[in-house]
Amino acid sequence: MNNSGKFDVVLFFHGTNPCITENYINLNFQLNKSGISAFTIFNGGGPWSPSDSTIKKCLSEHPELSKNIYLSSGISESFSLLQDLNYKIGVTNGYSALYKATQIFGHLPIMSEKADRLIQIADHFIDFKGFEFSTDYFVPPKFFGPMPQMTNLYSLSKSWNKNLVHAGLFNWERINLLHPNNLTRDKFCKKYNLEKDKPILGWAPSSVPRLGGSEGHFPAREMYSFVTRLPNVITKLHPAEYRRRKSFKLGGKFSYEIFGPEKCACLDPEDHHWWLEYCDVIISYNSSVHWNAQQYNTPVIYIEPKE
């Protein structure tokens, strides 16, 4: 942190997708690289907080960034920092899924009061909250049109707030730096016991609520069992499952432990980038992973079962 505690931009993330910690850090990296002083606060102490070890891995080749990245001890310290720092622009993430998980909302009035401009950026393509705080919105224009729900969201958001700013979804961007682990294809295959000379299949299953409990979706379970028994396949869990959200619906177990075969290969969320990089094809069931995969030109087979 600089001695004055003054920054052009302060970014606060109340929760993070566990698969893309590097993308959040990259925002800070690119701002400072452009001559814009930026300080990032990750809210710590919660199930959606990034781990200190993952952050350190991301910063291993850019230690100069460490003074601008801070993992708080929890919401109380996060709010104190947001109150004490001086900044022109406040940036925070959206709320669609993470808000339901973290239930953190009080930072918006603090940042709105402190900053000349408050900006929310979308973690997901439907991700807005806090209209009363004169928030600008970063929305991806390339997703308008093809998806009816996005067209509706666009028209609604214009009525919510005229300060609409267009930008890409940062967590779907492909970045080629700051990854926690650097893996060649050979190292990736060795780590997950895959055959490097054969096509690698990626499996992106549904979230836990669709898989487990009394409301579990039988076709989702059936497809899970089928795909994970294909040759040379590696499973990437839904981000919420990595965070153990609603794990009680699966008796506290991971889905691959129940529906996959013995020794089912399951991806470390830190290796998300390399999974997208090295999979020859990804098979998806009720997942938005295809938005990520398009950045890597990785084909996706999207299963739409008969109900």
Side-chain angles (χ1 to χ4, degrees):
M1 187 185 301
N2 65 36
N3 292 330
S4 65
K6 295 181 179 180
F7 299 92
D8 294 321
V9 180
V10 165
L11 305 100
F12 172 65
F13 298 114
H14 54 83
T16 60
N17 182 325
C19 300
I20 53 165
T21 301
E22 61 265 42
N23 289 55
Y24 295 88
I25 293 175
N26 183 57
L27 289 176
N28 185 295
F29 177 77
Q30 296 300 332
L31 287 169
N32 281 289
K33 186 179 177 181
S34 301
I36 299 170
S37 61
F39 187 74
T40 295
I41 303 167
F42 288 109
N43 186 61
W48 284 89
S49 304
S51 70
D52 184 55
S53 62
T54 299
I55 292 174
K56 287 179 178 176
K57 288 179 184 179
C58 292
L59 297 175
S60 61
E61 295 185 11
H62 293 276
E64 74 279 3
L65 281 178
S66 60
K67 66 180 184 295
N68 299 318
I69 305 290
Y70 186 75
L71 177 64
S72 78
S73 59
I75 196 63
S76 178
E77 186 183 15
S78 294
F79 282 14
S80 292
L81 284 168
L82 291 173
Q83 186 66 59
D84 294 342
L85 293 172
N86 295 300
Y87 43 99
K88 300 173 183 176
I89 298 174
V91 177
T92 186
N93 49 343
Y95 278 82
S96 66
L98 285 175
Y99 174 63
K100 294 176 184 177
T102 64
Q103 293 293 303
I104 294 170
F105 182 66
H107 61 291
L108 286 178
I110 297 174
M111 298 178 78
S112 181
E113 179 70 25
K114 292 285 295 188
D116 296 329
R117 179 65 68 193
L118 175 60
I119 297 174
Q120 281 185 270
I121 50 179
D123 287 296
H124 211 270
F125 50 79
I126 300 178
D127 215 356
F128 303 96
K129 191 78 175 181
F131 315 129
E132 63 269 37
F133 298 112
S134 300
T135 306
D136 285 347
Y137 300 103
F138 277 22
V139 187
K142 68 181 179 181
F143 292 116
F144 295 148
M147 300 174 62
Q149 65 266 40
M150 281 307 299
T151 305
N152 294 337
L153 177 65
Y154 178 55
S155 61
L156 282 172
S157 61
K158 286 196 296 185
S159 65
W160 289 338
N161 193 306
K162 62 184 178 182
N163 298 320
L164 183 67
V165 181
H166 296 291
L169 285 167
F170 74 98
N171 67 352
W172 287 340
E173 273 187 50
R174 174 178 179 164
I175 62 171
N176 295 309
L177 71 165
L178 299 171
H179 301 300
N181 302 317
N182 289 310
L183 299 175
T184 63
R185 183 182 171 95
D186 285 358
K187 288 181 178 178
F188 181 83
C189 290
K190 184 176 181 180
K191 179 174 181 176
Y192 294 106
N193 197 29
L194 300 168
E195 296 185 64
K196 64 180 182 180
D197 297 325
K198 293 184 178 180
I200 299 174
L201 306 181
W203 167 232
S206 299
S207 60
V208 167
R210 183 170 282 265
L211 289 167
S214 59
E215 298 177 359
H217 194 220
F218 176 74
R221 301 171 179 177
E222 185 180 43
M223 196 53 58
Y224 202 126
S225 179
F226 173 77
V227 174
T228 53
R229 284 164 174 80
L230 294 174
N232 227 35
V233 64
I234 176 167
T235 300
K236 187 200 80 69
L237 303 179
H238 188 281
E241 186 169 1
Y242 283 119
R243 294 299 195 204
R244 310 304 288 130
R245 182 163 168 76
K246 297 191 177 181
S247 61
F248 66 88
K249 287 182 173 288
L250 295 175
K253 294 183 178 181
F254 284 103
S255 58
Y256 70 88
E257 296 177 296
I258 297 174
F259 307 113
E262 187 177 354
K263 298 183 180 179
C264 178
C266 183
L267 188 77
D268 179 339
E270 289 186 351
D271 295 335
H272 177 252
H273 167 79
W274 306 110
W275 181 79
L276 289 167
E277 181 75 48
Y278 298 135
C279 282
D280 293 280
V281 64
I282 291 171
I283 304 171
S284 166
Y285 184 105
N286 194 47
S287 168
S288 61
V289 73
H290 50 281
W291 296 115
N292 302 83
Q294 67 178 337
Q295 304 295 326
Y296 292 76
N297 293 319
T298 303
V300 175
I301 300 172
Y302 190 88
I303 300 171
E304 186 175 3
K306 295 179 180 179
E307 300 292 341

